Amino acid sequence: QVQLVESGGGLVQPGGSLKLSCAASGRASSSYAMGWFRQALGKEREFVASISRGGSTTLYADSVKGRPTISRDNAKNTVYLQMNSLKPEDTAVYYCAASVFTGAPTRGDWYTYWGQGTQVTVSS
């Protein structure tokens, strides 16, 4: 079992950047593929990015491709999401999640463990 805690959210102006972190405790995060998802107010949760256990495979949603970078430091049990060129439509609660599946899963129902989320608001 693993516990996940996100941080790094906040208010940022359009065009700005944020780096979200997800710290894992309990079982080593290297045992899991990791993903970032987001949920805007009144909308369904959507996939943002995922990374395989060793970090060799990364996948991104078409809606954000080219702007975020997912990475991981297994020695620190931490996964990151660097978001650049932020837009108002990126406003959402961002969640990290851990999956026992191989590769870099993109479906939320393939993830077992979830953090509590961190709010990202993009507004001028």
Side-chain angles (χ1 to χ4, degrees):
Q1 190 169 355
V2 64
Q3 293 78 42
L4 304 172
V5 179
E6 303 94 335
S7 62
L11 175 64
V12 62
Q13 293 188 340
S17 299
L18 276 179
K19 187 172 185 177
L20 307 181
S21 299
C22 174
S25 60
R27 190 175 178 184
S29 64
S30 58
S31 300
Y32 303 93
M34 301 295 292
W36 285 95
F37 293 76
R38 67 185 182 185
Q39 187 168 20
L41 194 63
K43 295 187 177 181
E44 293 186 354
R45 182 183 63 197
E46 65 172 348
F47 167 75
V48 178
S50 59
I51 188 167
S52 59
R53 296 178 188 184
S56 61
T57 301
T58 58
L59 294 174
Y60 298 93
D62 288 341
S63 60
V64 299
K65 196 168 290 185
R67 296 190 295 123
T69 301
I70 187 171
S71 61
R72 67 190 301 162
D73 185 338
N74 286 339
K76 295 182 178 180
N77 281 332
T78 303
V79 177
Y80 305 97
L81 184 70
Q82 174 72 44
M83 291 284 292
N84 299 322
S85 303
L86 284 161
K87 306 174 182 179
E89 51 263 42
D90 293 319
T91 295
V93 178
Y94 283 71
Y95 299 91
C96 74
S99 172
V100 298
F101 282 81
T102 58
T106 60
R107 288 176 49 172
D109 56 358
W110 290 351
Y111 286 81
T112 305
Y113 304 105
W114 293 81
Q116 83 290 345
T118 185
Q119 176 72 47
V120 172
T121 302
V122 184
S123 175
S124 55

